[in-house]
Coordinates of all heavy atoms in Angstrom, one line a residue:
G1 N 106.3 96.5 114.9 CA 107.4 96.9 114.1 C 108.3 95.9 113.6 O 108.6 95.9 112.3
E2 N 108.5 95.0 114.4 CA 109.5 93.9 114.1 C 108.8 93.0 112.9 O 109.4 92.5 112.0 CB 109.8 93.1 115.3 CG 110.8 93.8 116.1 CD 111.0 93.2 117.5 OE1 110.1 92.4 118.0 OE2 112.1 93.5 118.0
Y3 N 107.5 92.8 113.2 CA 106.7 92.0 112.2 C 106.8 92.6 110.8 O 107.0 92.0 109.9 CB 105.3 91.8 112.7 CG 104.4 91.1 111.6 CD1 104.6 89.7 111.5 CD2 103.6 91.7 110.7 CE1 103.7 89.0 110.6 CE2 102.8 91.2 109.9 CZ 102.9 89.7 109.8 OH 102.2 89.0 108.9
L4 N 106.6 94.0 110.8 CA 106.6 94.7 109.4 C 108.1 94.6 108.8 O 108.2 94.5 107.7 CB 106.1 96.1 109.6 CG 104.6 96.2 110.0 CD1 104.3 97.7 110.4 CD2 103.7 95.8 108.9
S5 N 109.0 94.8 109.8 CA 110.4 94.8 109.1 C 110.6 93.4 108.6 O 111.3 93.3 107.5 CB 111.3 95.0 110.4 OG 112.6 94.8 110.0
R6 N 110.1 92.2 109.2 CA 110.4 91.0 108.7 C 109.7 90.8 107.3 O 110.3 90.2 106.4 CB 109.7 89.9 109.6 CG 109.7 88.5 109.2 CD 109.0 87.6 110.1 NE 108.9 86.1 109.6 CZ 108.1 85.6 108.8 NH1 107.1 86.3 108.3 NH2 108.4 84.4 108.4
E7 N 108.5 91.3 107.2 CA 107.8 91.2 105.9 C 108.6 92.0 104.9 O 108.7 91.6 103.7 CB 106.4 91.7 106.0 CG 105.5 90.9 107.0 CD 105.4 89.4 106.5 OE1 104.9 89.2 105.4 OE2 105.9 88.5 107.3
Y8 N 109.0 93.2 105.3 CA 109.8 94.0 104.3 C 111.0 93.2 103.8 O 111.3 93.3 102.6 CB 110.2 95.4 104.9 CG 111.1 96.1 104.1 CD1 110.5 97.1 103.1 CD2 112.4 96.1 104.2 CE1 111.4 98.0 102.2 CE2 113.1 96.9 103.3 CZ 112.7 97.8 102.4 OH 113.5 98.5 101.5
K9 N 111.8 92.7 104.7 CA 113.0 91.9 104.5 C 112.7 90.8 103.6 O 113.5 90.6 102.5 CB 113.6 91.5 105.7 CG 114.3 92.6 106.5 CD 114.9 92.1 107.8 CE 115.5 93.2 108.6 NZ 116.0 92.6 110.0
L10 N 111.6 90.1 103.7 CA 111.3 89.0 102.9 C 110.9 89.4 101.4 O 111.4 88.9 100.4 CB 110.1 88.2 103.4 CG 110.4 87.3 104.7 CD1 109.1 86.8 105.3 CD2 111.4 86.3 104.3
G11 N 110.2 90.5 101.3 CA 109.9 91.2 100.1 C 111.1 91.6 99.4 O 111.3 91.4 98.2
Y12 N 112.0 92.3 100.1 CA 113.3 92.9 99.5 C 114.1 91.6 98.9 O 114.7 91.9 97.9 CB 114.0 93.6 100.6 CG 115.3 94.3 100.1 CD1 115.4 95.5 99.5 CD2 116.6 93.5 100.3 CE1 116.5 96.0 99.0 CE2 117.7 94.1 99.9 CZ 117.8 95.3 99.2 OH 118.8 95.8 98.7
A13 N 114.1 90.6 99.7 CA 115.0 89.4 99.4 C 114.3 88.6 98.2 O 115.1 87.8 97.5 CB 115.3 88.5 100.6
A14 N 113.1 88.9 97.9 CA 112.5 87.9 97.0 C 113.0 88.1 95.6 O 113.1 87.1 94.8 CB 111.0 88.3 96.9
A15 N 113.4 89.2 95.2 CA 113.9 89.4 93.9 C 115.3 88.6 93.6 O 115.4 87.8 92.5 CB 114.3 90.8 93.6
G16 N 116.2 88.7 94.7 CA 117.4 88.0 94.5 C 117.2 86.5 94.5 O 117.8 85.6 93.9
F17 N 116.3 86.1 95.3 CA 115.8 84.6 95.4 C 115.2 84.1 94.2 O 115.6 83.0 93.6 CB 114.7 84.5 96.6 CG 114.0 83.2 96.6 CD1 114.6 82.1 96.7 CD2 112.6 83.3 96.6 CE1 114.0 80.9 96.7 CE2 111.9 82.1 96.8 CZ 112.6 80.8 96.8
A18 N 114.4 84.9 93.5 CA 113.9 84.4 92.2 C 114.9 84.5 91.1 O 114.8 83.6 90.3 CB 112.9 85.4 91.9
R19 N 116.0 85.4 91.1 CA 117.0 85.4 90.1 C 117.8 84.1 90.3 O 118.3 83.5 89.3 CB 117.7 86.7 90.2 CG 116.9 87.9 89.7 CD 117.9 89.0 89.5 NE 117.2 90.2 89.1 CZ 116.8 91.2 90.0 NH1 117.1 91.2 91.3 NH2 116.0 92.3 89.6
T20 N 118.1 83.8 91.4 CA 119.0 82.7 91.9 C 118.4 81.3 91.6 O 119.1 80.4 91.0 CB 119.6 82.8 93.3 OG1 120.1 84.2 93.5 CG2 120.7 81.8 93.5
T21 N 117.2 81.2 92.2 CA 116.5 79.9 91.9 C 115.1 80.1 91.4 O 114.2 80.0 92.1 CB 116.5 79.1 93.3 OG1 116.0 80.0 94.3 CG2 117.9 78.7 93.8
P22 N 115.0 80.5 90.1 CA 113.6 80.7 89.7 C 112.6 79.7 89.8 O 111.5 80.0 90.1 CB 113.8 81.0 88.2 CG 115.2 80.4 87.9 CD 116.0 80.6 89.1
E23 N 113.0 78.5 89.7 CA 112.1 77.3 89.7 C 111.5 77.2 91.1 O 110.2 77.2 91.3 CB 112.6 76.0 89.4 CG 111.6 74.8 89.3 CD 112.4 73.5 88.9 OE1 113.6 73.5 88.7 OE2 111.6 72.5 88.8
C24 N 112.3 77.3 92.1 CA 111.7 77.2 93.4 C 111.0 78.5 93.8 O 109.9 78.3 94.5 CB 112.9 77.1 94.5 SG 112.5 77.0 96.2
A25 N 111.3 79.6 93.5 CA 110.7 80.8 93.7 C 109.3 80.8 93.1 O 108.3 81.1 93.7 CB 111.5 82.1 93.1
G26 N 109.1 80.2 91.8 CA 107.8 80.2 91.2 C 107.0 79.2 92.0 O 105.8 79.5 92.2
A27 N 107.6 78.0 92.3 CA 106.6 77.0 93.2 C 106.3 77.6 94.5 O 105.2 77.3 94.9 CB 107.6 75.7 93.3
L28 N 107.1 78.5 95.1 CA 106.7 79.0 96.5 C 105.7 80.1 96.4 O 104.7 80.0 97.1 CB 108.0 79.6 97.1 CG 107.8 80.1 98.5 CD1 107.6 78.8 99.5 CD2 109.1 80.9 98.9
S29 N 105.7 80.9 95.4 CA 104.8 82.1 95.4 C 103.8 81.9 94.4 O 102.7 82.6 94.4 CB 105.8 83.4 95.0 OG 106.2 83.2 93.7
G30 N 103.9 80.9 93.4 CA 102.9 80.7 92.5 C 102.8 81.8 91.5 O 101.8 81.9 90.7
R31 N 103.9 82.5 91.2 CA 103.9 83.7 90.1 C 105.3 83.9 90.0 O 106.2 83.7 90.7 CB 103.1 84.8 90.6 CG 103.5 85.5 91.9 CD 102.5 86.5 92.3 NE 103.1 87.4 93.3 CZ 103.0 87.2 94.6 NH1 102.4 86.1 95.0 NH2 103.4 88.1 95.5
D32 N 105.5 84.8 88.8 CA 106.8 85.2 88.5 C 107.0 86.6 89.2 O 106.5 87.7 88.6 CB 107.0 85.4 87.1 CG 108.3 85.9 86.6 OD1 109.3 86.0 87.5 OD2 108.6 86.1 85.4
V33 N 107.7 86.6 90.3 CA 107.9 88.0 91.0 C 108.8 88.9 90.2 O 108.9 90.1 90.7 CB 108.4 87.8 92.4 CG1 107.6 86.9 93.3 CG2 109.9 87.2 92.4
L34 N 109.5 88.5 89.2 CA 110.3 89.3 88.4 C 109.6 90.0 87.1 O 110.1 90.8 86.3 CB 111.6 88.7 87.9 CG 112.5 88.2 89.1 CD1 113.7 87.4 88.6 CD2 113.0 89.4 90.0
A35 N 108.3 89.5 87.0 CA 107.6 90.1 85.8 C 107.4 91.4 86.0 O 107.3 92.0 87.1 CB 106.2 89.3 85.8
A36 N 107.2 92.2 84.9 CA 107.1 93.7 84.9 C 105.9 94.1 85.7 O 106.0 95.1 86.5 CB 107.0 94.1 83.5
G37 N 104.7 93.4 85.6 CA 103.6 93.8 86.4 C 103.8 93.6 87.8 O 103.3 94.4 88.8
E38 N 104.6 92.6 88.4 CA 104.9 92.4 89.6 C 105.9 93.4 90.3 O 105.6 93.9 91.3 CB 105.4 91.0 90.0 CG 104.5 89.8 89.7 CD 103.6 89.7 90.8 OE1 103.9 90.2 92.0 OE2 102.5 88.9 90.6
I39 N 106.8 93.7 89.4 CA 107.7 94.8 89.9 C 107.0 96.1 90.0 O 107.3 96.9 91.0 CB 108.9 94.9 88.9 CG1 109.7 93.6 89.0 CG2 109.7 96.1 89.2 CD1 110.8 93.5 87.9
A40 N 106.2 96.4 89.1 CA 105.4 97.6 89.1 C 104.6 97.7 90.4 O 104.4 98.7 91.1 CB 104.6 97.8 87.8
Y41 N 103.9 96.6 90.6 CA 103.1 96.5 91.8 C 103.9 96.6 93.2 O 103.5 97.4 94.2 CB 102.4 95.2 91.8 CG 101.8 94.8 93.2 CD1 100.5 95.4 93.4 CD2 102.2 94.0 94.2 CE1 99.7 95.1 94.6 CE2 101.5 93.7 95.3 CZ 100.4 94.2 95.5 OH 99.6 94.0 96.8

C-alpha cells in the first residue's frame, strides 16, 4: 500500500514539476507529461 501511495504521489506531483521546470521534466521522463494525450492517459 505504501509503495502504491508513493507511485501515486509521484504521478500527482509530475504536472507541477513539468510546469515549473519543463526542461528537466522532459529530460527525466523522455516525454511531455502535459501534452493532451498524456493527460488523457
Side-chain angles (χ1 to χ4, degrees):
E2 289 169 336
Y3 177 79
L4 292 175
S5 176
R6 174 185 182 273
E7 296 303 298
Y8 175 85
K9 290 175 181 176
L10 287 172
Y12 180 85
F17 168 51
R19 291 190 182 98
T20 306
T21 57
E23 185 181 5
C24 179
L28 184 68
S29 64
R31 62 187 192 272
D32 179 7
V33 300
L34 299 178
E38 290 287 338
I39 293 173
Y41 171 77

